[in-house]
Amino acid sequence: MRKKVTVIGAGNVGASCAVRLADKGLADIVVVDILEGVPTGKALDILQSCPIQGVDVNCVGGNDYEATANSDIVIVTAGFPRKPGMSRDDLLWANYDIVKSTVEQAVKYSPNAILIVVTNPLDAMCHVAYKVSGFPKNRVMGMAGILDTTRFRTFVAQELNVSMKDVTALVLGGHGDTMVPLVRYSSVGGIPLTDLLDQETLDRIVKRTRDGGAEIVRYLKTGSAYYAPSAATVEMVDAILNDRKRVLPCSAYLEGEYGISGLFVGVPVKLGAQGIEKIYELKLTEEELAALHKSAAAVRELVEVMRPKLEAAATA
Ligand code: APR
């Protein structure tokens, strides 16, 4: 039987995820949105691309969750994107309600699914999904690290005029201004990045990576990035559905790793059929660890703001 993936939100990120899933023939796809007609129309359009792509998957869209029943994976992209001048954190309250209600409905129909959260502010929204779903921590995760890393890899490949494929990198921390690109763990065809680029260039690339989302928002004006975010999300889906045991940076619930507890933060994980099968704890320098803790503190601030509402929801 084919696997099934639900995409909540038929906007830019959601629809791009659905297209990429269909193109790869990874699973049957159900797209859900509150807008009338839009998820149905987009899903039908995607379905009609399948003969050309040579893939046999079904793709349907609608407003209710019945069609999503027994999904293997639920991707949450519903919510507002940021506009120029906004930080991801500015979306907190607008997206809290959306993530809470969509996850509540989705998990009723798919109690064994793995949740991949994409809605921002990412790490805080993972927390909402985790609390609302009551799922074990291996089945709730956020897409951010792969996106931040692919931006870093792109800029490095451009700088050195080498294949994008040969650049590996690692970005830790929350998906925000405090993310921690780990230059020490980055390489090009196995050659440490620090042997190839001087400090000034590295600093410039790190800064551009950190501002990577905002750079695109400034160009688009009415929304945020979706092509790279959807590619990153589908890489996670592929790792899980095919039990690839990929080692990728994802937002994961930490319980003491890196000295952080009770928070979703971006860390390297092993991604397979069980979801997050392992969290890797790297030996960080004092400086790197301090930067990671600073990033975690920014996530904690948002979680503390939400806590009264989350606790009230949990006892309701
Ligand atoms: N249920 C289902 N869908 C909803 C709900 C809801 N309660 N509320 C909003 N949506 C839908 C909107 O109707 C819209 O189609 O979510 C979609 C969001 O699409 P876009 O506005 O195009 O936003 P997008 O660029 O896809 O970003 C979505 O992902 O990367 C993050 O920061 C980004 O938080 C944002 C999210």
Side-chain angles (χ1 to χ4, degrees), residues 92-159:
L92 185 73
W93 287 120
N95 287 346
Y96 169 89
D97 288 325
I98 295 173
V99 170
K100 179 174 172 288
S101 77
T102 55
V103 169
E104 266 167 3
Q105 295 175 80
V107 301
K108 251 189 252 164
Y109 288 94
S110 300
N112 300 314
I114 288 173
L115 298 176
I116 302 178
V117 179
V118 186
T119 304
N120 277 310
L122 194 272
D123 308 279
M125 291 302 111
C126 288
H127 204 93
V128 175
Y130 177 60
K131 292 289 174 194
V132 167
S133 65
F135 281 7
K137 62 177 183 171
N138 61 304
R139 287 203 279 126
V140 184
M141 65 199 73
M143 185 295 294
I146 303 173
L147 173 60
D148 298 328
T149 307
T150 196
R151 285 180 173 148
F152 187 76
R153 292 168 66 193
T154 304
F155 301 145
V156 168
Q158 279 186 329
E159 189 71 37

Side-chain angles (χ1 to χ4, degrees), residues 135-193:
F135 281 7
K137 62 177 183 171
N138 61 304
R139 287 203 279 126
V140 184
M141 65 199 73
M143 185 295 294
I146 303 173
L147 173 60
D148 298 328
T149 307
T150 196
R151 285 180 173 148
F152 187 76
R153 292 168 66 193
T154 304
F155 301 145
V156 168
Q158 279 186 329
E159 189 71 37
L160 292 170
N161 191 26
V162 297
S163 168
M164 305 252 189
K165 227 169 97 174
D166 291 330
V167 183
T168 55
L170 185 53
V171 177
L172 299 185
H175 186 48
D177 303 336
T178 56
M179 70 178 78
V180 189
L182 281 188
V183 172
R184 209 161 55 84
Y185 282 92
S186 304
S187 64
V188 180
I191 306 165
L193 198 51

Side-chain angles (χ1 to χ4, degrees), residues 17-73:
C17 283
V19 170
R20 290 187 189 279
L21 289 167
D23 280 355
K24 287 182 185 285
L26 272 177
D28 286 338
I29 304 151
V30 183
V31 185
V32 180
D33 200 289
I34 37 164
L35 296 178
E36 208 205 311
V38 172
T40 317
K42 288 193 180 181
L44 186 59
D45 193 7
I46 292 169
L47 183 67
Q48 291 166 1
S49 71
C50 289
I52 299 168
Q53 297 301 323
V55 289
D56 286 299
V57 294
N58 196 18
C59 185
V60 294
N63 303 125
D64 66 58
Y65 286 77
E66 230 175 286
T68 69
N70 299 318
S71 291
D72 297 283
I73 295 180

